[in-house]
Structures are given as C-alpha cells and as structure tokens.
Amino acid sequence: MNIISRRNFLQTAALTGAGLALGPSLFGKDEVVDKNWKSPHANLVSPDKKVRLAVIGCGGQGGVDANIMAGGVQFAAFADVDYDRASAWFLREPNVPRYRDYRKMLDEQKDNIDAVLIATPDHTHFPAAVMAMNLGKHVYVEKPATHTIGEARYLKALAKKTGLVTQMGNHGHAYDGCRELKEWIEAGVIGDVTEVHIWTNRPVWPQGVPNPDPEKKFEVPSTLDWNLWLGVSKYYNYNPDYVPFDWRGMWDWGTGAIGDMACHMFDPIFTAIDLRGDVKVSSESEGATEFSCPKWAKVKYEIGASKTRPKPVTFNWYEGKCRPHLKDLPDGLFKEEKDIPHTGMLYVGTKGAIIDTDDYGTRMRLLPAEKWEVFRKNRPPKKYARVPDRNARMEFIRACQGGPTPGSNFVDHSMDLTEWGLLGVLSLRLGNKTIDWDYKKGVCRGLPEANKFIHKEYRVF
Amino acid sequence: MKKIFVFSVVAAASMLFAFGAPKKEVFVKESQVFAKVDNAKSKSKKWPSSVVIFKDDMSAAKSAAKNWKIENGELKGSEGAPLVIKNAKGVYAISLEFNADEAGEGCIFVRAPKGDVSKAVCIKLCQLNADKGETSIGSINGVIKPGNKFNETKDGRWSRIMIFVEEEGVRVTPNTNLCGHYADRNFLTYKWEDISKKSGYEVAEEGEAGFLCSKGNLKFKNISITVF
C-alpha cells in the first residue's frame, strides 16, 4: 500500500517546475501526507507530454481499459491477433499503426512507445510483459497478470530490476475498500483476523468439460491468426469453443474461476493483513481434467502466526455451486442459511466480523447489524491515501508521468497477490493434493511433481 | 555457454517456422522467454493499413457518376447510378459514417458481378417506415433481417457502419458500441450460401463494391477501406 503525499509532493513539484504540469489531479483530496514523495521509477514521461501507449489485445477488457485511458494518452500502436476483435479501435484510431504480432509491434515501434497495456488471454500476459519491460516500457497487465507462480516471481524481480512503472488490472484496488478494510482492521475493529471466507458464482463459462473434439479441424476465421493467439501455449487445433471467451476455464490458457476472481476478491484482505509466508493449501473439486478447470471447487489455505500476523489464519475459497454454510461459519453471524449472500467476502476476527458483498470490496459492513449501526457513525480515521477518481487505469498513466506508484504494482503487491491465488490453482491442478508451500524457496515441500505447474514451458512460436 | 546455446535454439526454431519447415514444437523455460529481445523478432506480417477514400476527390471511384460528388470532405449522393469503388477485392473491410435526409434510402453493395447491383449483396443503410416493421440497417437484400433492429439516426446525427467481406460471408456492425466487453463475433454474420438461397440468385465469388442511393439524399464521411 502506498502512502501518498499530496501537499508535499505539490510543494516539491512546484520547486522543480513540475507542479503546474502535473497539477492537483494527480492526487485525491484527502490523502495522508508523505513529505518526501519523489517518483522512484525509471523512464518517466515528462508530465507535460502524453504517455505514448501501445495496446496488446484491443477487444474485450483491453478495449475497456484503453477507453478509460484514452483521454490521457496518445495511442502509439495496436496489436491484436484478430482484426474482428480489434476493429473498433482500428476504426476509432485509423492513423495508429496496427499489428497482428505484438513482438513485431514492439520491435518496430519501440522508439515511439512509453507504456504498454496488455490485455490478452492469461497465458500470453507474461511473454508480452517480459518483452515490453526488457525494452524499458512501463506495463499495465490485466489480471491475473501471470499464468504460473514462476512467472509472478519473475515479473516481480524484473520490475524491481528495471524500476519501471507496473500495474495489474485488478482495478478494484483503486477503490476505497482496500484502504478502508486495512484501516478498520488496524484500528482493531474486529480484533485479530483468524478466518476468511470468500465465495463467488463463477465460473460463468464452461468448466469441468471435456476438450471439445480436439482432433476436428475447424476452419479458422479469416480474421484470426490462430498460431499467434496460441502464442507460447502448446499447439491445439482451432476450435470455436475456445475463443473469444471460454478459454478462461481451460488450463493451458486460463486459470479458472479462482484465477479470474482471486485478483479482485482476495485483494482487500490481502492488502489489509500480511498473508506472505509458508502456507498449507488443500482443495476439493469435481470435474477437473488435464484440459479443463473444475466445475466447482473449495480451497483452504492455512497460514501460521508470524511477527506481522498475530494469529494463524484459515482462508477459504468457494466457487461454482459451493458457498459457505452456517456450519462453516462462527455462530451468530447469520440466523439462517438464506441470510448468507450469494457472493461475498467474510472476515472473522477475535472481536467481530466484516462482510462485503461486492467483488471489488466496496460494500463492507460489520456483523451483526446492530454493531454496524453504531460503527458507521464513528469510523476510524483515514490513514491511507485514496486514488483520485478511484481510477486504476489513470493511476498507472499518472505514475508514468511521475505520479505516485500504482497501488497494485508488481513489486509491492500484485505479484504476491497473484501468487496467493495461484497457490489455490496449484492444489487444484495437482488433483486436490495438499501442498506445503515453502515461501522462501518457491517450491512445494515433498511434491516435485508440482514443479511443472510452478514453472511451465513455453512454445517458440 | 549454456545461454548461447539456448538463444541459438530459439533462433533456429524461429527460422524453421519462418521457412516453412515441418512444424516440430520447441519449448523453452520461463527465464528464456524473450530474455534477449533480439530473439523475439517476428516474421509475421503487419496488419494492412486502412486507406481513406472519397475525402478530397473521386479518384477511388471506378467510373464517374453524376449523382455523386465530394463536398467538405463528405461524399454526397442522390438517387441514380451506383458508385463503384476501385480495389475492393478479396477479403476487405469498409468502414464509414453515413447520414440520410428524411427521404434518404440506400445501401452499400458488395460482390456485384461486373457492377450489376441487381445481383449484388446489398447491405441496407437506411430504414424508412420503421414503425411499419420494415427491415433495419444491416439487413441483406431485404430478405435477411438482423435479430435485433438497428435504426439509423434521422435527426441529423451520423450513423456508423463497418462491413467485413470475408471468404465465408459478410459481417456487419452497425452503430455498435466501440468496445463491447463480451462481443459476439457472430453478430450480424451472413454466409454467402444463405444469402444465395434466400435471395434467389447465386452470389458471385468475385464482384465489385460500392454505394447506391435509391431515394432522397445520402452523405458519407470517414470512409476507409482495408484490404487484408
């Protein structure tokens, strides 16, 4: 969590002549002051110039991100393996160079690019980010930023080494919820956290299904370069059931419901308390195959106490038809089964509990209801800086111009968060084996077969 | 030494693909993915650029037609002969904005054999008598209608349309949101064989593309063509 100074940054900026150009819009109105804010990042863009942004993956979520960034950037180039998906941007920005292959784009346009937005399927995030960062470009990478734990650790190290601005696309991190939850827990509102329960209605795409007709050769749409879509993945014949969306439930390209939603739903509590360290992860699920993620799953993380974590924490994830039941939860939080919301996050401490029914952490309240009524009129003071307009995409763009480091940057936050989510994926991929995670070494103790999922292989394409 | 070997493997593998040798998959470790950027150069082709046409002159027209003219960067047409575009061949996309007056009606046609619009695939632009249930923008030859109706604007605002002419059929995106989150790629996709069946004549495998104004007046701007 970055603690950002507004007032003092503006003082410093005014002295250096940057103040007017950066302006107060870089900061919210109610920040906590950091007297010595100065961007630590490399390759910053002058605040009086627009960030030259290249986009890899222009359809779907990439289109949404680019649309939000559009007012603050100059588009430098577009890359998309499918002109059908990219056509809206090709039309909207007809003079921007366009490519099928991001490698060619980065190679040819590297002198015209400051930052790269990467919004491709999960398996392509890593190679695209590595290439962009090796060329000195800041990167905004959609969530989950990586497909394996090995990739998350690699990107964290690369971000540290290069000093570039980085941000994962878990945009809810820029909302107030993460900061509020941290403030409430640090103020002792629920005591020490001992239990976490997080549940979702995902997947809303096929999981636990056989590979649809892998031998059949469907005609590849003329708009799509299928080999480039596969990228570093092993080769599969094209199948219209894979793209443009259902790859999420297929291990070679996606990370299933947990991979998709952990970056959002785990984020508030991962921000609020320290969950880094050795951990045991076990799971139950049905229908997973080598190809497909499971129909439903429950994952349990058990992490011990430490200097920064006063009590051991049990962290439970439920997806698909699974959700917590009264018997799973402390007595008195809910009267009846039907009172438990269909999706949510529940944080249980030694002195109380907080529930949140929004995927992005914006609908928190204390349980039971009468406690909430008292608390809401007497909340703990704000300690942590808010993001202007709660806008994660512009937080990244401003950081490229010398503004505050984005909250979900690779070094301090998002790669560790991604790893936490991918530990659940790892247990599922290992057929629900309990894993004993050695945090320092990045290995599963006594499970050498896990290594192929921690560090995968990449096809040369 | 080990590094040099790995880079050589990557480079050799890339060359094999580039020269069309039998495809044997080669895999590398995460630390070797673009560890050296020079190895990442791709041989794949760029997307073709879009060419803006009918902005300053009529040079993109195959033949002169008196009922078409350029004014203030806009192509203006009135009832009369079709305007055939040069070089719209193979797989291509046309994108443009259009505006019709109250009586305006017309289409963009593709695959017109030797400019014969009566045997072309006509993508309707303007909808008269919407309240009487007539076909909407994006309908084909008046016989294939979109599941959802899309109306052009008749209040002076411009409508936008993109037409992709592909090997298997034609796709139309009228007045859609620019960045639909979960866009359906089959949205308003029509196969040539279906168009043939319903139209009562065989759609030509090759043919010309252009504009037709059948009633009133039509205006077009920001017209671009991309040949893939």
Side-chain angles (χ1 to χ4, degrees):
Chain A
M1 172 75 66
N2 293 289
I3 302 174
I4 303 160
S5 157
R6 173 175 184 250
R7 213 175 309 151
N8 288 278
F9 175 76
L10 288 178
Q11 285 168 2
T12 309
L15 289 175
T16 60
L20 284 176
L22 282 168
S25 64
L26 280 175
F27 301 93
K29 290 175 184 168
D30 50 7
E31 281 83 16
V32 176
V33 173
D34 170 358
K35 292 186 177 175
N36 301 305
W37 170 257
K38 189 183 172 194
S39 176
H41 296 294
N43 293 1
L44 292 174
V45 179
S46 170
D48 59 358
K49 289 187 178 163
K50 285 199 169 183
V51 172
R52 298 170 301 170
L53 182 75
V55 182
I56 302 176
C58 307
Q61 190 61 28
V64 174
D65 294 332
N67 210 23
I68 294 171
M69 292 177 182
V73 303
Q74 174 194 328
F75 289 107
F78 294 129
D80 202 298
V81 299
D82 188 346
Y83 77 65
D84 173 25
R85 302 277 290 163
S87 54
W89 280 97
F90 288 1
L91 173 65
R92 178 163 160 173
E93 302 283 350
N95 297 319
V96 174
R98 54 187 72 164
Y99 294 82
R100 294 167 201 270
D101 190 333
Y102 66 83
R103 298 170 299 177
K104 195 168 181 69
M105 177 189 78
L106 290 172
D107 182 47
E108 289 187 4
Q109 299 291 337
K110 57 181 175 282
D111 295 336
N112 305 318
I113 294 170
D114 301 312
V116 183
L117 159 61
I118 298 165
T120 53
D122 299 355
H123 71 290
T124 312
H125 292 167
F126 175 73
V130 169
M131 184 171 177
M133 292 170 77
N134 279 338
L135 289 167
K137 311 305 173 193
H138 310 295
V139 290
Y140 183 100
V141 183
E142 260 308 326
K143 57 83 199 170
T146 71
H147 199 220
T148 67
I149 292 169
E151 291 177 356
R153 291 194 167 210
Y154 189 100
L155 282 190
K156 180 176 174 176
L158 189 58
K160 239 183 216 175
K161 182 179 153 192
T162 58
L164 294 160
V165 176
T166 56
Q167 169 95 313
M168 182 164 77
N170 53 326
H171 58 272
H173 193 78
Y175 301 162
D176 291 357
C178 286
R179 289 150 187 79
E180 282 179 352
L181 183 65
K182 189 170 174 67
E183 286 162 354
W184 295 5
I185 288 175
E186 287 179 353
V189 172
I190 59 168
D192 297 324
V193 175
T194 55
E195 275 181 51
V196 176
H197 299 267
I198 300 178
W199 62 105
T200 179
N201 62 344
R202 264 79 164 180
V204 291
W205 48 83
Q207 288 194 185
V209 294
N211 186 353
D213 217 349
E215 300 304 320
K216 187 169 178 184
K217 291 198 173 174
F218 289 91
E219 192 177 344
V220 180
S222 59
T223 59
L224 173 68
D225 187 319
W226 177 241
N227 182 52
L228 290 182
W229 187 93
L230 286 169
V232 294
S233 150
K234 74 177 183 184
Y235 195 86
Y236 283 82
N237 288 328
Y238 167 78
N239 191 308
D241 287 339
Y242 301 155
V243 290
F245 188 65
D246 290 350
W247 53 264
R248 287 181 178 283
M250 301 163 187
W251 290 126
D252 275 308
W253 311 309
T255 44
I258 186 170
D260 185 49
M261 290 311 290
C263 294
H264 290 311
M265 300 184 81
F266 292 7
D267 192 9
I269 193 64
F270 196 86
T271 303
I273 63 174
D274 181 20
L275 287 170
R276 293 163 179 86
D278 289 0
V279 60
K280 279 200 167 53
V281 185
S282 54
S283 60
E284 294 172 52
S285 68
E286 183 191 343
T289 65
E290 281 193 6
F291 176 75
S292 178
C293 310
K295 280 180 192 170
W296 60 263
K298 275 195 219 179
V299 180
K300 186 177 196 175
Y301 300 68
E302 294 167 285
I303 189 164
S306 71
K307 281 181 190 168
T308 54
R309 196 171 41 248
K311 300 277 182 194
V313 178
T314 308
F315 184 110
N316 300 279
W317 164 255
Y318 313 77
E319 68 179 48
K321 69 177 186 182
C322 290
R323 48 188 229 130
H325 295 288
L326 277 180
K327 63 180 172 51
D328 303 323
L329 304 174
D331 289 341
L333 288 183
F334 300 97
K335 286 177 187 163
E336 294 182 59
E337 196 82 18
K338 67 177 176 55
D339 297 335
I340 303 173
H342 291 293
T343 182
M345 295 95 98
L346 177 72
Y347 315 119
V348 181
T350 49
K351 294 181 190 170
I354 297 168
I355 191 163
D356 192 333
T357 53
D358 174 53
D359 291 346
Y360 309 105
T362 63
R363 269 185 233 140
M364 289 190 297
R365 62 182 193 274
L366 292 194
L367 291 176
E370 51 272 22
K371 207 169 173 181
W372 171 237
E373 287 308 315
V374 176
F375 173 81
R376 64 192 303 183
K377 293 170 191 159
N378 187 28
R379 298 178 188 221
K382 287 178 181 171
K383 275 171 73 178
Y384 297 110
R386 272 42 174 178
V387 176
D389 303 323
R390 287 64 179 136
N391 186 333
R393 285 82 169 193
M394 290 310 295
E395 182 189 21
F396 168 73
I397 297 300
R398 285 190 295 266
C400 296
Q401 295 172 303
T405 299
S408 198
N409 70 80
F410 292 180
V411 176
D412 304 319
H413 185 72
S414 55
M415 290 305 109
D416 295 335
L417 169 64
T418 302
E419 176 172 314
W420 184 257
L422 290 175
L423 283 169
V425 171
L426 188 57
S427 175
L428 294 171
R429 293 209 71 175
L430 287 163
N432 302 327
K433 281 191 178 151
T434 298
I435 59 177
D436 182 2
W437 183 243
D438 184 329
Y439 177 73
K440 203 169 175 186
K441 293 181 180 167
V443 296
C444 296
R445 293 186 185 95
L447 269 182
E449 64 266 41
N451 289 339
K452 67 180 176 185
F453 299 122
I454 299 169
H455 302 280
K456 67 176 193 182
E457 292 195 312
Y458 301 80
R459 184 174 67 107
V460 176
F461 68 104
Chain B
M1 188 66 185
K2 194 178 172 187
K3 268 190 176 172
I4 293 168
F5 172 72
V6 169
F7 293 146
S8 303
V9 169
V10 175
S14 302
M15 284 174 69
L16 280 175
F17 281 115
F19 291 107
K23 287 186 180 177
K24 188 181 176 189
E25 290 185 317
V26 176
F27 291 89
V28 296
K29 301 284 185 192
E30 84 202 359
S31 60
Q32 293 146 7
V33 170
F34 306 148
K36 189 179 171 194
V37 169
D38 284 352
N39 286 327
K41 288 184 181 175
S42 160
K43 302 281 183 198
S44 97
K45 285 193 295 185
K46 264 189 198 180
W47 283 117
S49 298
S50 298
V51 178
V52 176
I53 55 174
F54 298 126
K55 187 179 177 201
D56 302 314
D57 57 46
M58 297 289 283
S59 60
K62 194 170 180 188
S63 56
K66 287 181 183 171
N67 54 320
W68 295 92
K69 61 183 177 184
I70 305 287
E71 265 184 16
N72 303 323
E74 294 170 4
L75 173 67
K76 296 184 175 178
S78 54
E79 187 177 336
L83 179 67
V84 177
I85 306 168
K86 282 181 193 168
N87 301 326
K89 290 178 181 170
V91 175
Y92 59 92
I94 298 171
S95 68
L96 53 83
E97 292 174 69
F98 68 92
N99 187 300
D101 66 11
E102 274 303 314
E105 190 169 354
C107 72
I108 295 172
F109 60 85
V110 300
R111 293 209 171 180
K114 294 180 183 171
D116 180 0
V117 180
S118 68
K119 295 283 173 61
V121 173
C122 293
I123 299 127
K124 192 164 186 171
L125 291 180
C126 313
Q127 174 199 13
L128 296 177
N129 304 320
D131 54 335
K132 293 180 184 170
E134 292 195 3
T135 53
S136 78
I137 302 180
S139 64
I140 303 280
N141 290 351
V143 292
I144 304 180
K145 302 171 189 178
N148 296 319
K149 267 180 170 275
F150 298 94
N151 298 329
E152 90 287 8
T153 52
K154 281 285 189 188
D155 56 2
R157 285 181 294 147
W158 291 76
S159 295
R160 187 193 295 271
I161 195 164
M162 290 161 57
I163 295 168
F164 295 95
V165 178
E166 299 170 338
E167 286 165 12
E168 63 270 30
V170 60
R171 290 188 303 113
V172 182
T173 57
N175 281 340
T176 50
N177 290 330
L178 274 177
C179 308
H181 194 161
Y182 300 120
D184 177 3
R185 75 174 315 282
N186 294 317
F187 181 68
L188 292 189
T189 298
Y190 309 100
K191 292 199 180 297
W192 300 125
E193 57 188 273
D194 293 336
I195 297 172
S196 294
K197 274 181 205 163
K198 293 194 176 171
S199 301
Y201 54 82
E202 198 68 27
V203 172
E205 287 192 12
E206 285 291 336
E208 292 168 325
F211 304 89
L212 179 68
C213 179
S214 47
K215 278 183 191 170
N217 296 289
L218 295 179
K219 292 189 288 186
F220 300 90
K221 68 177 181 180
N222 296 327
I223 307 165
S224 69
I225 184 159
T226 310
V227 179
F228 293 94

